[in-house]
Amino acid sequence: MPKLGRLFQPLYLASPPRIRPDRPLFQRLAEWGALLLVIGLSAFEVSGAETRGIGHGSVGPQPVGEGMGCAGWVLGLVVPLLVALFWCWLLYRQMARRTQQLQRELSERRRVEMALRESEARFRDVTEATSDWVWEMDENLCFTYLSKRFYVLTGISPQSVLGRARWELAGVDVTIDPHKWRVHRELLEKHLPFRDFTYQTHLTGNRKDGRYLKVNGKPIHDSQGRFRGYRGTGSDITEQVNVEVALHQSELRLRRIIDLVPHMIFARDRYGRFLLANRTTAAAYGRTVEELVNRSPRTIHAVEEEVERMLADDQEVIQSWTSKLIPEETFTDSAGHVRTLQTMKIPFIEPGLNETAVLSVAIDMTEQKRAKEEVARMRLYLKNIIDSMPSVLIGVDPWGYITVLNQPAEHASGLSWAAAQGRFFGEVFPQLENQFGQVRQVIREGHPIKTPRMTLETDGELHYADVMVYPLMADNANGAVIRMDDVTARVRIESMMVQTEKMLSVGGLAAGMAHEINNPLGAILQGSQNVLRRIGPDLPQNRAVADALNIDLNLLNRYLQERGVLRFLEGIREAGARAAKIVADMLSFSRRSESRFAPVGLEEMLETVLRLAASDYDLKKKYDFKRISILRDYDPALQVVYCDKTEIEQVILNLLKNAAQAMTEVNTLTPAITLRTLREPDNVLIEVIDNGPGMDDKTLKRIFEPFFTTKEVGAGTGLGLSVSYFIVTDQHNGRLSATSKPGQGSCFSIRLPLVGDALS
Amino acid sequence: MTGWVLIVDDEEMIRENLKAYLEDEGLGVVAFESVTPALNWLRDAAAACRVCIMDMRLPDMDGNSAIRLFHQLYPHMEFLIHTGSSSYTLPEDLRAAGLEEDRVYRKPLEDMAPLVGAIRMLAALREVRP
């Protein structure tokens, strides 16, 4: 049996692979039985053929003859047997040889089969174990096979895949990106291999909707080179895609956020190259973000010092590994505007390079700085405004405590703003203490209160001040401001002007009635002179009449003297003279026409006045003008002055008289008067300077007031200087001023406008 | 001799005082309160009158006109002006007739001595210039 098995083994081994050795035993026995029968019949037929005389060693079956004899039958029985035996032997040898060959082939086959099986198993294991799957398509590009992995991964059922094309699995994707699919389809239709084709499945009812798949494929051809379809692998990259998408979105979000930040955000590596920059930064450099990245500010920033400073700061942060705040730095942007930045620099490890880099956040402070400067400038400007105001300004709160002082107020109080702040204003300005009631009233009622010409006493001197208290208007600033203007000078000038006006009207009146007054005054004065002359014993006419009447003139004279009659007469004369003088002075106040104005030789005029002074009755008698030395300091550049000669002579004479009088009163040891002329740009200056007793400020301020006199009653009319003032300022449009200090003499300055050819 | 000094002034006391003083000085004086009687007197005595002291404001004629008239009638006469007006200024035609600012005396005269000096000087002038 084993022998027989061996004998027939090649047969089934040569049969199609469908016949396998592991089929059931009864099947194999039947096969063998059939084979034996065939062999027996064959042997019989061979013997028949040989009796018919065809005896040659042919192996092929012979057809069975119909007529056989006995001998022939015996012969026919034995011979065929022998032939059969021989055939069998032959067959056996043939078979043995064949069997050996087949056995060799079989073992080889088995080895290959084993290897194939192992490879198959390995392939299956690998297929099932990896995330990839295997697929096959037929020549119509419809799926014929997909490994289990595909179904497990995608959750798609086989019936919705097999027999369909790939684009049918990804309908939505196909419509989204038809080009991609058209290319893919064309590729497949041209039977070309492809790699890493990615698409998204959208099978309806699929729980895992929208899986991303990546496939590779290769066309299959049969031995004749005919296209039989495709075979390939596929993998699910949904997770990978999702992660990538999420990463991309996250990066986009971060990008958007840093681009939204209005500050400059950027990172630079140790070489100064931008690793990151937001849009604000790029805009500051006048570039796009893409243009900035990987470039150093050295190549794109115009101001070298700024670049070097910024990079030096970067280096410092990298080296010290500590953050740095730069409170203020300048940065010139691409438009050339200098900006002020506040920059924070923070070191960090750049993930890609694994090196220290610097993250910077720079806030543009330009506007803030400008605003701050503007506020400071404005504050200074406002302070300047209130400081420059000539009025004293005192800001107080509702309780009277000082909040603000301007410069004149500081000057008036002798206290700085800082020192006075918070103190009660009545304590700092005792002269205004009574104004507290007004402060409260003003805050309560919201209306300012004015007190014009309030009399104040400072250092024993009387002052006039206009005081105004007004409430603060701002919403929350409760308080008031006290404004005080010293109007003393104005009040004085005003009162002087009032006086002058009065004098002018008096002058006008005097001019009208001068004739009426002068005649009686003439009668008085001439009468006194005649009386005195006619009672004297010296005049021959007197003696003649006295003798005729038998009167002793000497006795009469003695009588008149002893009874004081002569003194009374002298008194009448003097009183008349004084009245005449007053009338004359008053007449000076009347305005006169300019017709009397003429160019006058200045030096000549001064000399005339000096002669007049020397011959003046009063100066000669009372003040001893000859004792006073006269110093002349004439400006040679001045020749002529345009004026009313007699008027100016009167003024200068008046000044000389006053000087002489003052010096005589105090017995100045070496009395001297200097007459000085000086050409000023617009004026002719005439000065009368004495070395007499001088005046204090109080007197000095009032000397030009009419009827103000320092002389004892009767010594002067009190009109001299006011008349002079009137003549110079009103009639000559000039100025008359005086400077003096007690014990240091006085200086009176007459300034007359320089007209035309005054120099020639 | 200085001859007569003619005074024309409407104020009696001024007239009298001047007359008294000048007479005490030994001068012959005639005084009138207005121009008309003065003219009447001059008709006979003009030759003996050398100097006239003229007030400005007079009842019948103003002083300036009187001087013009006298000067025209009796050119040998010299004039002194004695006025109480503060605003008096010498008219140009009188200046032309030889009057100067120093011939103007303003009332009130505290001292009449300068006036006497002027009279003597003018009378002497007439002596030299017949």
Side-chain angles (χ1 to χ4, degrees), chain B residues 101-123:
Chain B
E101 210 52 70
D102 60 4
R103 303 264 186 105
V104 180
Y105 289 80
R106 290 178 195 276
K107 296 177 185 174
L109 270 179
E110 260 184 77
D111 186 3
M112 290 173 280
L115 193 65
V116 175
I119 291 167
R120 289 192 196 284
M121 195 193 73
L122 288 176

Side-chain angles (χ1 to χ4, degrees), chain A residues 456-464 488-489 492-493 495-496 693-705 708-710 721 738-742 746 748:
Chain A
L456 302 171
E457 211 181 306
T458 320
D459 307 326
E461 249 187 276
L462 210 60
H463 281 263
Y464 296 95
T488 312
R492 287 224 172 98
I493 288 168
S495 69
M496 220 160 93
M695 288 170 278
D696 57 22
D697 269 1
K698 254 161 97 177
T699 310
L700 196 58
K701 277 176 188 160
R702 301 191 58 196
I703 47 170
F704 297 120
E705 285 178 30
F708 175 83
T709 179
T710 55
L721 274 177
T739 52
S740 183
K741 286 257 164 64
S746 306
F748 285 83

Side-chain angles (χ1 to χ4, degrees), chain B residues 92-105:
Chain B
E92 281 307 309
D93 62 321
L94 294 190
R95 284 180 195 278
L99 269 79
E100 292 294 339
E101 210 52 70
D102 60 4
R103 303 264 186 105
V104 180
Y105 289 80

Side-chain angles (χ1 to χ4, degrees), chain A residues 424-498:
Chain A
F424 184 62
F425 81 95
E427 190 188 322
V428 180
F429 297 93
Q431 70 271 35
L432 291 174
E433 202 178 348
N434 296 336
Q435 252 55 32
F436 187 47
Q438 290 189 352
V439 169
R440 302 189 63 163
Q441 190 188 337
V442 150
I443 292 172
R444 202 171 52 237
E445 293 173 4
H447 302 297
I449 298 176
K450 283 183 194 174
T451 315
R453 297 206 182 185
M454 203 171 93
T455 34
L456 302 171
E457 211 181 306
T458 320
D459 307 326
E461 249 187 276
L462 210 60
H463 281 263
Y464 296 95
D466 285 352
V467 177
M468 189 189 210
V469 184
Y470 56 93
L472 283 179
M473 292 300 190
D475 299 331
N476 296 320
N478 225 352
V481 178
I482 302 166
R483 186 186 129 185
M484 180 170 74
D485 293 289
D486 193 317
V487 291
T488 312
R490 203 185 73 205
V491 168
R492 287 224 172 98
I493 288 168
E494 274 173 10
S495 69
M496 220 160 93
M497 274 168 64
V498 168

